[in-house]
Amino acid sequence: MENFIQFQINSMKLLNQISVFIFLIGFLLFTSVIFLGKYEVTEKNVSEFLLENDIKNDTIQNGFISVISKTGLKDKIYFNQFKFIGDLQFSITQHNQLISEKLIEKDGIVSEEIDQLYIAIQKEGKINYSKEILSQIFTEKKQKLLEEQTSWMFSSEKQYPDLAAFQKDFETKINEINGNIGVAYRLKNDAYALLNMTQSFNEGTVTKNKGLWLFLTFGLITIGAFIYHLTNIKLLGPKGIKNNGIFQNALTNRGWLAYLVFGYLVGFYIVLYFFPYYLNNLVTLVSPISESLSGNPASHWFLYGLMYCFAMTLMAIRMFVKYRNNNYQILRTSVVLFFQIAFAFLIPEILVRFNMPYYDFKNAWPLDYDFFFDWNINNLMSSGKVGIFMLVWGIVLTIIIVPIMVYFFGKRWYCSWVCGCGGLAETLGDPYRQHSDKSLKAWKIERWLIHGVLVFAIIMTGATLYTFFSGATSLFGIETYTLQKSYGFLIGAVFSGVIGTGFYPVMGNRVWCRFGCPLAAYMGLVQRFKSKFRITTNGGQCISCGNCSTYCEQGIDVRAYAQKGEDIVRSSCVGCGICSAVCPRGVLKLENSNAPKKIDDNPLIFENNMFKINPSSE
Amino acid sequence: MSKKIVIIGNGISGVTCARYVRKYSDYEITIISYETKYFFSRTALMYVFMGHMKFEHTQPYEPWFWEKNRINLIQGKVTTIKSNEKNVMLEDGKSIPFDKLVLATGSKPNKFGWKGQDLKGVQGLYSYQDLQLLEENTKGGIERAVIVGGGLIGIELAEMLLSRGYKVTFLVRENLFWGNVLPKEESELIMRHILVHHVDLQLETELKEIVGDEDGKVKSIITSKGDEIRCQLVGLTAGVSPNIEFLKGSEIPLNRGVLINEYLETQVEDVFAIGDCAEFVQHPSSDRRNIEQVWYTGKIMGKTLAHNICKKPQVYNPGNWFNSAKFFDIEYQTYGWIFPKPKENEKHFYWEHSNGEIAVRFCYDKNDFTFIGINTFGIRMRHQAFDKWLNEKRDVKYVLENLASANFDPEFYKLHEPKIIEKFNIENNTQLKLKKKSWKILFNSK
């Protein structure tokens, strides 16, 4: 009998190890897919690309083809995508420069004409610039152009003391005029355009065998992770949280493995946000899935959304196994997973399929920081009743639903039950929750930083709305566009993405939620001052062991309250419930209650009637 | 110049005392500890070995805390106490003067003179040094450990060693685990759980001898039944006793611990003792033992003593008994007194879930139904509720009917209270009905 049990455990262990191997193979293949492209730019696929993108212009096509013949890009086969994208960017720049130069010669204001003009306008030491003078020098087309742009410089409008002053204004204008010539014939050089092009010019194995590669990447990763978690039901022992070895493992104790994951995640986010065209193979790989949902080919954001859902699902299974003794954890994980897959991923894609705006109904401003950007408002307002509903819903969500829900349930209803950022943190990030800094210093930094971001978000949105309604492009001398740009880059991309997720293995899984999320800051204020939610401490049962503080992902020193018998009423608490789950003495309970909150020393611990005899003695 | 208070021992009692002395007064406070510089939670050492935490995580206060609160920390060993000269002598020759001296030196593991008890690989588990020794004794991995003594430290040590994949044999002298505290059913529940975790549990078995190899390292043990068990580690966890060796020969009267009165004073003026090392000549609460080695009583003693030194003296009064523990995955809480067998005027009511891992026992007066105590396994209960009900001498029917309000399990847990009441009704021919959960119950006065 004992031998049989041993045999069972041994085979389970073997299966467990095999599953890790399968997972790693899948992961390795997934990563190598990025580099498996085969790129070739031919006359045929250039014209196909232009046709697909509705660019029907011979000047562009012929111009670009002649450029790539010269630069050597044409008909050359690339296996190195970095080299290819470099050469492609060079050719596009060349094309744009050449086409401008050519067109300026034809349609622009050339230097001979300018010199002629300078001579013609000087009369008796004065500057005399007028429509007549223009007509003496320029063709009709150019006359019109110059009149449009420089009529304010006519002598009837403005007097110049000398030629130099005139030249200064005039040449600025000429550069502008010439700069605008040819814009329509240029090829776009931004990240989206490059991604689009690299996908079109890619004929690698991945593009031809998408099904096979989907299986070899997403498929193997799923199979490996699934078997791994299921075998752990047996291998981790009877149900009950086993945090064994967490601080002895290189992956979970900031060892070399953790830094490897850190590098991978940070690298991935940087590429995704700023150089998405390097992911062209992966985007192509998942395109059939995108097409089946929205009818459109995938963008790198679709790839990201899909990966996000996979990561959350696979790590949610881990949560179900690890916390299977705890109904709160099981329910919470299921709900947050549902909101990610349905609300953040599927519904917006399906909306697009029915020609409705892409919209995540649970994403509330100010986390959804571009909700009030003019393009979004315009888009929603021009999308009929559905769009108007979305606009109203978004405003109601932030102003009414969010604070009311926080009043009744604490901010956990959003942060650890609904939110996508929270969802990833609670699943993919769960193995790293112990890395949050619990020091008083970290708490001070947290309060400055998170409320700072909230203020930034409010100012940025205020300026946006001011611009939207008044039409003025700046407020107090600051360009609205600059504000939006810097918020998007600093907060939207770097803070919430690169740092927020990339830093999981070294700073814990809630770096963004704790230090940066403006919505969390907003809800935190409600939670701290006006909410039924608290974590109740169970009288005098605390033994100060520190499990609660160690596993608090928000860096709250839970023990500091528990050992004094105080309730935990903290703006940053996202109500994940892990402190309560890991407590060995049943000391902590997340509660929504009308009972008064205990935030002084709990009499139960020390006093036990003792000091009540003479309360004034203290 | 402010007066000097010196506290020997930086465990929960000494540190709580220091914190409250600081709150109440301007004393110059010095804490001397040989074990570690900073206070840590002794009960959490097991989690460090298991990799749940790092040692730093067991320290409830950051290093700046001590400076900010003007509490001097000295890491050193006290050799003698000169109570007449009001001086404490350290091993390194330093002498520390005091106006008030607090002894809070804790416990040390019991050793009962077993043959081979000082071999390498034989150890207790109490101090930080014991933890380090355990790391050393298990370095490179061991195959089997034998644990001697069926109490809380024993089962914790078993859990620790199993977490690293070592096999564990657990020798228990009685026929039940922790049978001097738990009734039979609860003990059996825990023993079933011990077996689920693949511990080789040997009941009614004592340690006879520990056998060493030629290097003086443990090789095996021989049990009272004559079996020889090969092992590389022997954990001696048969209780602890006050750590007062260094006080022998001083003027301070000792028995098993440092003898104190109800004000926590020793018989030498200005010298006090609290926590595990203290022994009441007569405990002010008749239901408690003269030596109490419990975390929270150490805390209450520390605060009481700070009050007594800085303010008006009060009699130590720990209030209603309560405690908790965790046996592998099963949590245990108790409020009020429940003994393994009901006393003459008492009756027990026991309910156990069909899964055999969740249970509740009530003890009450069989004549007037006054609630006396509760044991819970796998269900968390609210301390506040039971403390209140014990103070108010509520009867067991009231307690049962309001059990939902006392439940402290996390949200979305299945409420077992209806089943509990159902069983009580059948056994006692009553018609009790579970009342809806209400926080007001906890604030109503009788």
Side-chain angles (χ1 to χ4, degrees), chain B residues 26-41:
Chain B
D26 203 32
Y27 268 102
E28 195 183 305
I29 304 170
T30 302
I31 301 180
I32 306 169
S33 167
Y34 174 64
E35 191 180 15
T36 52
K37 183 172 181 193
Y38 297 115
F39 166 54
F40 69 94
S41 174

Side-chain angles (χ1 to χ4, degrees), chain B residues 7 9-10 15 18 29-33 36-39 61-67 70-76 90 94 96:
Chain B
I7 300 167
N10 72 347
V15 163
I29 304 170
T30 302
I31 301 180
I32 306 169
S33 167
T36 52
K37 183 172 181 193
Y38 297 115
F39 166 54
Y61 305 103
E62 290 183 65
W64 55 258
F65 174 88
W66 309 100
E67 209 173 313
R70 291 176 290 123
I71 297 171
N72 308 315
L73 304 177
I74 296 177
Q75 194 172 0
L90 297 187
K94 258 188 225 145
I96 317 270

Side-chain angles (χ1 to χ4, degrees), chain B residues 176 179 181-188 338-340 348 361 375:
Chain B
L176 289 170
V181 176
L182 298 180
K184 185 164 170 279
E185 287 83 357
E186 283 94 318
S187 178
E188 282 170 350
I338 288 200
F339 296 104
H348 281 185
R361 180 183 298 270
N375 277 346

Side-chain angles (χ1 to χ4, degrees), chain B residues 1-143:
Chain B
M1 221 179 79
S2 54
K3 287 201 244 173
K4 296 181 171 66
I5 183 165
V6 171
I7 300 167
I8 306 177
N10 72 347
I12 182 64
S13 311
V15 163
T16 307
C17 182
R19 281 179 50 233
Y20 279 92
V21 167
R22 177 50 66 244
K23 281 193 184 185
Y24 296 150
S25 77
D26 203 32
Y27 268 102
E28 195 183 305
I29 304 170
T30 302
I31 301 180
I32 306 169
S33 167
Y34 174 64
E35 191 180 15
T36 52
K37 183 172 181 193
Y38 297 115
F39 166 54
F40 69 94
S41 174
R42 190 171 304 291
T43 50
L45 285 179
M46 65 180 291
Y47 303 113
V48 177
F49 186 81
M50 293 165 77
H52 295 201
M53 290 195 264
K54 288 204 253 188
F55 180 67
E56 302 90 272
H57 295 125
T58 68
Q59 296 167 343
Y61 305 103
E62 290 183 65
W64 55 258
F65 174 88
W66 309 100
E67 209 173 313
K68 189 186 161 225
N69 286 289
R70 291 176 290 123
I71 297 171
N72 308 315
L73 304 177
I74 296 177
Q75 194 172 0
K77 195 168 195 169
V78 174
T79 49
T80 34
I81 289 164
K82 296 180 178 166
S83 42
N84 293 332
E85 296 161 38
K86 295 210 159 181
N87 256 331
V88 168
M89 302 298 297
L90 297 187
E91 199 175 39
D92 61 7
K94 258 188 225 145
S95 108
I96 317 270
F98 66 81
D99 294 300
K100 308 275 180 189
L101 178 67
V102 178
L103 304 171
T105 54
S107 302
K108 59 176 184 7
N110 285 336
K111 284 186 174 182
F112 292 120
W114 289 292
K115 195 176 167 198
Q117 68 180 17
D118 295 319
L119 286 167
K120 261 189 261 168
V122 181
Q123 67 166 112
L125 183 69
Y126 182 83
S127 65
Y128 177 67
Q129 283 71 23
D130 290 338
L131 177 74
Q132 288 179 314
L133 185 62
L134 188 63
E135 286 288 2
E136 201 186 300
N137 283 337
T138 56
K139 208 170 175 185
I142 60 167
E143 205 204 333

Side-chain angles (χ1 to χ4, degrees), chain A residues 110 112 186 249 260 267 283 313 370 493 553:
Chain A
V110 293
E112 296 95 67
R186 286 183 204 161
N249 185 326
L260 205 67
V283 176
T313 308
D370 52 13
E553 56 190 355

Side-chain angles (χ1 to χ4, degrees), chain B residues 254-407:
Chain B
L254 310 171
N255 182 34
R256 281 183 57 217
V258 183
L259 287 168
I260 53 168
N261 64 14
E262 65 271 34
Y263 294 99
L264 311 169
E265 301 162 334
T266 70
Q267 283 163 42
V268 176
E269 208 184 342
D270 292 330
V271 178
F272 309 84
I274 50 175
D276 279 18
C277 74
E279 179 179 351
F280 286 98
V281 174
Q282 190 178 8
H283 201 293
S285 314
S286 57
D287 59 348
R288 289 184 178 247
R289 295 179 202 187
N290 287 337
I291 301 179
E292 271 188 320
Q293 293 139 332
V294 183
W295 182 263
Y296 74 88
T297 55
K299 246 171 152 175
I300 300 175
M301 284 191 209
K303 184 175 177 185
T304 307
L305 181 59
H307 194 273
N308 290 358
I309 288 174
C310 306
K311 300 185 163 204
K312 210 174 81 183
Q314 303 265 7
V315 172
Y316 167 68
N317 174 11
N320 295 314
W321 171 258
F322 68 92
N323 207 358
S324 60
K326 193 174 181 188
F327 307 99
F328 290 98
D329 305 309
I330 297 182
E331 287 175 26
Y332 155 69
Q333 292 183 334
T334 186
Y335 300 103
W337 285 110
I338 288 200
F339 296 104
K341 292 222 162 61
K343 288 182 183 170
E344 203 168 307
N345 64 320
E346 290 175 353
K347 201 175 164 193
H348 281 185
F349 162 65
Y350 180 74
W351 171 86
E352 190 178 292
H353 190 280
S354 58
N355 70 10
E357 293 185 336
I358 302 172
V360 188
R361 180 183 298 270
F362 292 81
C363 173
Y364 57 95
D365 191 301
K366 69 178 169 193
N367 302 313
D368 61 9
F369 287 92
T370 308
F371 170 68
I372 296 170
I374 182 171
N375 277 346
T376 70
F377 291 80
I379 301 182
R380 295 175 174 181
M381 289 289 175
R382 228 176 259 271
H383 187 182
Q384 193 188 357
F386 282 99
D387 194 58
K388 184 168 184 287
W389 294 339
L390 285 165
N391 286 338
E392 292 172 353
K393 301 202 186 315
R394 294 282 186 179
D395 75 37
V396 72
K397 293 175 189 167
Y398 176 89
V399 171
L400 277 163
E401 285 192 319
N402 288 297
L403 210 52
S405 300
N407 186 293

